[in-house]
Amino acid sequence: MPPHLCQLCHTSRAQILRPKNHARLCAPCFISTFEIEIASTITTSHLFHPGERIAIGASGGKDSTVLASVLQTLNERHGWGLDLVLLSIDEGITGYRDHSLEAVKRNSAELGLPLSIVSYEELYGWSMDQVVAQVGRGGKGNCTYCGVFRRQALDRGAAGLGVRHVVTGHNADDVAETVVMNLLRGDLPRLGRGTSVVTSMPSAVGMGTGKEWEGKGRVGEVACTSVKRSKPLMWAYEKEIVLYAHHKKLDYFSTECIYSPEAFRGSARTLIKNLERIRPESIMDVVRSGIDMAKLVPNAEGGPGSGKPEAVQRDAGEDAEGGCGGSNGEDAGGEMAQMERKLQQDEQAEEDGTETEIKIPTKAVNGQRHDRDTQTSATAAALTSNVNGQDHDRHTHPPSNTTTTVPIRTKQEKKSNRKATRDTPPPKQRLGQCERCGYLSSQAVCKACMLLEGLNKARPRTGIEVGGAGG
Amino acid sequence: MPGRRQPPAAVDTTLCRRCQANAPTITVRTEPLCSACFAKYVSTKIIKRMESFRVRHAEAGKERLLLLPLSLGPCSMVLLHILSQHLSVQAEKSGRTGYRLLALFIDDGAREGSAALFERVKERYPMHTYFNLPLSDALSLEGVPELLSPLNQATPPNNPPSTTTDPLSTLLSTLPSATSRADLLHILLRKLVVHAAQHHACEAVLWADSTTRLAERTLAETAKGRGFTLPSSIGDGEAPHGLPFYYPMRDLLRKEIISFTSLVEPGLDEMILRDVPKAAVSTKNTTIDDLMKQYFASVEREFPSIVANVVRTTGKLKVPALREEVEEHCELCDAPLRGHAPERSRLCYGCIRILRQAPAG
């Protein structure tokens, strides 16, 4: 067979067969096509405004590395005037994050973009290695801890940088996986949100409450306002991202997290890869279906309020993260088995005609702080005084793809109130903020603080002091 | 409600969980059941879904006519069996029935022995009306020849001219992939069923899809870019095809239905047309539907409730309001086109994919 010529320039030999549309391209044409497509995602959904300060969530992996490189290129080429910074989260996973952070540092130097690293250890007093040592790998899903912590860490990191827009490297494969996973999990609210190119959370009124807790807030010494997230690569195939990184000779780190991945995501991932083998276009088709189905989710704007623990998880505008895949997972095989058991109980209850009691997974919400004599009062004071002059207006986002969540919050508020009063003495709930750390929350205490409470209870007292002093 | 609570008496786990009299023969979603209780379980699940066709909902002498398409596979045969029983019970109790069945077998010409089998089915359940149609009849339905004529003119890629003169296989050979062929076959089959149902003045179509099959279809349609049609295409009731669809087996897993076939006396096994198990085929010949079938076969083994949950979740999606205004529908699959098709296209996105997928490789 004679070598194919590139379909665009008709001069060079084609090196790349695009899975999306079977076009055969040479490497330079592929690179420019790839960039044009990302630019078009950005411009058609009005992701950025000129001069906007943008944090690129950088993990050192291929997706965020390509995202940083493409954004830098496009920013210069089109004169968008974006102020780009890299923001990394150091979960504290030895053998994984330490190496990938090295890659981020090299990229930062290479691209000339400033880098800011927020670590769990510093923010929460716990690294993931310590969390895993504490709860065990097979325990109550260390991905849950990691996901909850990351969400807040990104927001606080962004706030610390004075940034109100974080872009992440989620690609088309990730989004397709999320669609399938949410169908398998029966998670309608996330099905409704997972495919939006932009997600945002409601703004809060700043967080200087004088009640901040422990090590939290050290980085987020600035008010947490509306931080919007977007996924400029959501139409880019993982394969093409790898090809782009390869042909641009980008420096990235390719290892999966050493801790167990979620079972649902793992299952969905395998399925998506198999689908791609049968019909490469199907990744786009799944994403397209996901977008269409999102419009059919009941109360898409108001959240379907199933009254399930959902309301808790979605506190600060949780936005269907993919990332390592750990937005809310339990441990690997256990996650599906656990769901299976729960569903079976539901079925059984329905059959027996007995009512299911709604168990609230948040029994920690009782407003009782475990006061500790730490040296955080100083930090807290710093926080209060440091609520700087950021304006807390809600960001205006493009009308189409935004998950505007104000009505949801009022609904959830009611719901959580009702639930809380049933099980616990009414917590002094302050609308929209965690009473401990000031992070946006529909509960009195945000999820991260609740998880931390559990962790800290088990940690010997001296441990706290060491952790606090070390931070 | 203390009266409804299970008595605290210890349950003998060596006996059937429900009747506590016989030895269990099968475990259904964690419950060990004896054959009798299992049979009751299967038939209750189906008959519960036939609520709206009870005797009291039909005027005397005016039974409602329902079309039951038979593939002669385990699911449609079990449905036919249970509904036959249901009708006898209705007749026994009230002297009349709430509905009548018109059973249709569509012959795609691909499965040997189907004609003889169909005759045996008629003999065993003689109370229904039966007829059969060749699938190729779908090609002459209104609108279809015009839609598919571009394909007929195309020469099959790479393939020598087909030796058969069957217009259907000639048509299929022009399609770019196994998935496209399976898709088009399915759409044609549905068109023909709907046409037959309307022609015979049936009120609705009863499909024999199990939970497992509906879950497979959910993910398969999602993968084919047809996500927006899901709530209406797998939900009970109004369908965009002109008459309502019902899925009375939607609460049963495929494995449960298959277990049931061997419990019936005399066995249903010999009435069932088995799929020829495909040998390890190359990816090229695997369809998206095959993939989903394999996938849910394994999920069904370990996590049966998750299979059911997929279907339930899809059922919670809003069905886009039908015919609120005169709107365009895909001329091939009948899906409403609103916003789901390229401008001025007469076909929806998924159907364009069937016809225009570039050859792989």
Side-chain angles (χ1 to χ4, degrees), chain B residues 206-251:
Chain B
L206 301 179
W207 297 95
D209 299 34
S210 60
T211 304
T212 318
R213 173 78 188 117
L214 291 174
E216 287 164 25
R217 280 183 50 197
T218 298
L219 288 199
E221 300 289 278
T222 302
K224 293 171 193 164
R226 294 180 188 275
F228 68 97
T229 65
L230 274 174
S232 54
S233 68
I234 71 163
D236 276 339
E238 208 57 44
H241 311 287
L243 79 170
F245 285 0
Y246 291 93
Y247 299 90
M249 316 261 281
R250 65 162 61 247
D251 295 325

Side-chain angles (χ1 to χ4, degrees), chain A residues 307-381:
Chain A
K308 293 276 157 76
E310 192 52 31
V312 181
Q313 288 162 5
R314 297 195 318 160
D315 47 1
E318 169 282 323
D319 50 0
E321 283 298 299
C324 69
S327 65
N328 148 42
E330 300 296 327
D331 58 306
E335 191 197 10
M336 288 179 95
Q338 208 166 21
M339 170 131 181
E340 174 68 22
R341 277 196 297 279
K342 191 194 149 289
L343 289 169
Q344 272 175 1
Q345 285 164 1
D346 289 356
E347 274 166 39
Q348 193 60 47
E350 202 176 311
E351 219 136 279
D352 299 348
T354 51
E355 244 181 71
T356 347
E357 237 174 84
I358 299 169
K359 289 199 195 88
I360 306 174
T362 59
K363 54 176 184 282
V365 190
N366 52 10
Q368 288 169 8
R369 291 176 51 203
H370 283 249
D371 276 306
R372 292 209 170 90
D373 49 336
T374 48
Q375 57 279 65
T376 43
S377 44
T379 328

Side-chain angles (χ1 to χ4, degrees), chain A residues 22 75 109 141 300 383:
Chain A
H22 304 279
N75 192 27
L383 271 167

Side-chain angles (χ1 to χ4, degrees), chain A residues 6 14 20 22 27 37 42 44 59 126 140 189 196 202 208 245 253 299 307 326 329 340 369 423-424 451 471:
Chain A
C6 169
K20 255 184 199 181
H22 304 279
E37 288 183 3
I42 291 169
T44 55
S59 68
W126 288 83
K140 195 211 166 238
S196 359
F253 181 78
N299 306 320
E340 174 68 22
R369 291 176 51 203
D423 268 31
T424 57
L451 290 176

